[in-house]
Amino acid sequence: MSDSVFDDAVARLTRIGEMTGCSSQVINALSHPNAMMHVNVEVRMDDGHIHYFPGYRCQHNHVLGPTKGGIRFHPDVDAAEVQALALWMTLKCAVVNLPFGGAKGGVSVDPKALSPMELERLSRAYVRAMADFIGPERDIPAPDVYTNALIMGWMMDEYEKITRVKNPAVITGKPIALGGSLGRDDATGRGAYLCIKELQKRDCLTPEETTVAVQGFGNGGYHVARLLAEDGYKVVAVSDSQGGIYRSEGLDIKSVYQQKQEHKELKAIYCDGSVCETREHDTLSNDELLTLDVDILIPAALDSVITTDNANGIKARYLVEIANGPVTSDADAILKDKGIIVIPDILANAGGVTVSYFEWVQNRTGYRWDKDKVRDELHTVMSNAFNQANELVQNKGLDFRDAVYAVALTRLSEGIEAHGTPDYFNGG
């Protein structure tokens, strides 16, 4: 991934900031990460050799609180990617009014090529390298692409060995038995689902008459598809890295997911108990899925999949971003001209960091919440954030992305300018 990803994120921030009247001081502060750590993670492989994997952690901005953000294991991880993701996390936490700044980390590695023991050694070695850079009141990691609760448990355990203190609040997204939160498993998809339910109320959508396509069938994509299908929405297409499937009558999402977990392939399957049968369906590429004639398109996989090259082909009425940065800043204007309503990533996928915050709160207070409380609190947070942005859409004529950024920038501006403005220091 090139520097253009971070540059693109800053370009969008600058455009929206200037358009909404954000001060140049604030835009400048948010364009420069607070700190960046680059390490070589030393791992002894199963054959006895030592291998060094590039590792990164970016703390973007801590004006609203300690930084928060995931750790991803992926071959394309680089400094520019984690800086862009950390910037978006700063905005995301501000949008949903969490007392966190943004951070992100990762290791440039193909985790599928590692044995389970090598994966554990990599996870622990990353924490040893970053132990002085993270902490429950400084920077709190969480799972991201190709990391999960098991890996977070290893990382927490390694941190506690180094500090010799039990401190579950240092990491979120952990196994339930190690201090994880109920409701964390589907939080990202549920947050996007709650945004769509707010759209349903606002625009009087009829679920049974509303078609949905989801690019990316990982955790976030699966859960939003499942929740929408359970509500009666017609999910007609899903895809993974190998391609997608389409069925105009709609897919049985739970059965499709079961097939993928058991056989590592996508098929339009319907299961009744242990008996499954294949339904007639079409196959399509990820690019073809993006241009389907559906009501709601949900990119839930990679960044920069909608660009100036294909934006004119998008036919959906709504675009709900679960992936981080799936639409480039240059493509925004095209989608706006087409009248497509975009619910941006910094709101649509904020359910994950919100429930991670709930986990951090539970760890620090020593009091566990039940699943109903987690979901009720998540509903409140997502609904409030959506409606604050929607008020700007209705009263100020902003599009939804600009409105969501404006909510975030207002909170960040208040924090940054509370330390003093150029006018103050010049006697104003």
Side-chain angles (χ1 to χ4, degrees):
M1 187 172 289
S2 69
D3 289 348
S4 64
V5 176
F6 180 66
D7 293 341
D8 192 67
V10 171
R12 174 179 281 153
L13 168 74
T14 302
R15 176 188 66 79
I16 298 175
E18 291 176 346
M19 186 267 295
T20 56
C22 187
S23 75
S24 59
Q25 171 184 306
V26 172
I27 294 172
N28 188 43
L30 296 175
S31 299
H32 296 86
N34 289 152
M36 181 75 185
M37 177 75 84
H38 179 190
V39 299
N40 287 302
V41 183
E42 179 184 310
V43 179
R44 185 174 295 280
M45 310 303 282
D46 289 343
D47 65 3
H49 287 87
I50 297 292
H51 194 94
Y52 295 90
F53 299 94
Y56 307 89
R57 186 73 181 171
C58 176
Q59 296 169 358
H60 175 260
N61 188 279
H62 48 64
V63 69
L64 299 181
T67 53
K68 183 84 183 73
I71 299 169
R72 57 178 53 185
F73 290 170
H74 193 277
D76 293 336
V77 168
D78 62 17
E81 179 185 49
V82 298
Q83 287 181 78
L85 292 165
L87 187 160
W88 290 326
M89 184 61 79
T90 293
L91 296 169
K92 188 183 306 181
C93 292
V95 166
V96 292
N97 203 21
L98 302 183
F100 286 144
K104 210 72 174 187
V107 178
S108 180
V109 60
D110 178 5
K112 297 178 182 179
L114 302 182
S115 73
M117 290 296 290
E118 289 170 338
L119 185 63
E120 179 178 6
R121 290 196 287 270
L122 173 69
S123 304
R124 291 179 179 275
Y126 179 84
V127 170
R128 288 196 299 274
M130 296 290 178
D132 294 329
F133 203 56
I134 64 174
E137 295 178 333
R138 180 176 183 180
D139 179 15
I140 306 102
D144 201 88
V145 175
Y146 291 127
T147 57
N148 55 26
L150 177 64
I151 290 171
M152 294 304 107
W154 289 334
M155 289 185 172
M156 180 193 73
D157 181 64
E158 192 67 24
Y159 183 83
E160 291 179 340
K161 287 180 177 178
I162 293 167
T163 61
R164 298 182 182 274
V165 175
K166 293 297 290 183
N167 208 331
V170 69
I171 298 274
T172 61
K174 306 178 295 293
I176 300 298
L178 299 180
S181 176
L182 296 171
R184 179 64 183 85
D185 55 343
D186 69 355
T188 301
R190 186 173 292 275
Y193 160 78
L194 291 169
C195 288
I196 294 170
K197 295 300 287 182
E198 293 296 329
L199 281 174
Q200 177 183 319
K201 289 192 292 186
R202 192 192 76 162
D203 294 352
C204 300
L205 302 179
T206 302
E208 293 76 15
E209 298 174 1
T210 305
T211 54
V212 181
V214 182
Q215 187 205 44
F217 206 53
N219 179 274
Y222 163 62
H223 283 296
V224 72
R226 173 185 63 82
L227 290 165
L228 290 171
E230 289 174 356
D231 255 12
Y233 284 81
K234 190 182 293 186
V235 182
V236 297
V238 298
S239 70
D240 61 13
S241 60
Q242 305 303 310
I245 55 175
Y246 171 83
R247 188 168 188 267
S248 60
E249 298 86 352
L251 299 165
D252 186 276
I253 295 301
K254 288 184 178 179
S255 298
V256 172
Y257 186 71
Q258 178 180 323
Q259 171 76 10
K260 178 175 170 61
Q261 297 304 108
E262 294 177 356
H263 302 286
K264 308 302 180 185
E265 64 177 349
L266 287 179
K267 276 189 177 180
I269 297 288
Y270 174 75
C271 298
D272 185 1
S274 61
V275 179
C276 298
E277 60 181 42
T278 302
R279 297 292 175 87
E280 185 177 345
H281 64 278
D282 298 322
T283 59
L284 73 172
S285 69
N286 274 290
D287 289 340
E288 290 170 331
L289 182 145
L290 292 172
T291 58
L292 286 174
D293 189 4
V294 294
D295 297 302
I296 301 174
L297 173 63
I298 304 177
L302 302 174
D303 64 89
S304 304
V305 296
I306 298 174
T307 68
T308 53
D309 293 333
N310 63 358
N312 277 309
I314 305 298
K315 302 180 183 69
R317 180 183 175 191
Y318 303 97
L319 198 154
V320 181
E321 299 179 337
I322 290 184
N324 288 303
V327 179
T328 64
S329 60
D330 289 343
D332 277 342
I334 297 173
L335 298 181
K336 185 175 182 178
D337 288 344
K338 290 171 64 69
I340 296 171
I341 297 170
V342 178
I343 307 302
D345 49 0
I346 63 169
L347 172 60
N349 69 21
V353 70
T354 300
V355 177
S356 280
Y357 166 63
F358 297 161
E359 180 177 333
W360 181 76
V361 169
Q362 292 170 73
N363 293 157
R364 288 171 66 83
T365 61
Y367 181 79
R368 288 181 179 267
W369 299 1
D370 62 33
K371 187 174 290 187
D372 287 341
K373 178 175 175 60
V374 170
R375 290 178 175 173
D376 288 345
E377 294 290 337
L378 176 61
H379 185 279
T380 297
V381 168
M382 297 302 298
S383 177
N384 286 344
F386 181 96
N387 287 304
Q388 285 172 346
N390 188 52
E391 186 174 339
L392 294 177
V393 172
Q394 303 299 326
N395 297 335
K396 301 292 185 181
L398 300 180
D399 69 28
F400 220 95
R401 186 188 301 281
D402 293 352
V404 170
Y405 267 67
V407 171
L409 289 172
T410 297
R411 292 199 174 106
L412 289 162
S413 295
E414 291 171 351
I416 292 170
E417 292 177 350
H419 292 290
T421 65
D423 283 345
Y424 169 79
F425 290 110
N426 283 290

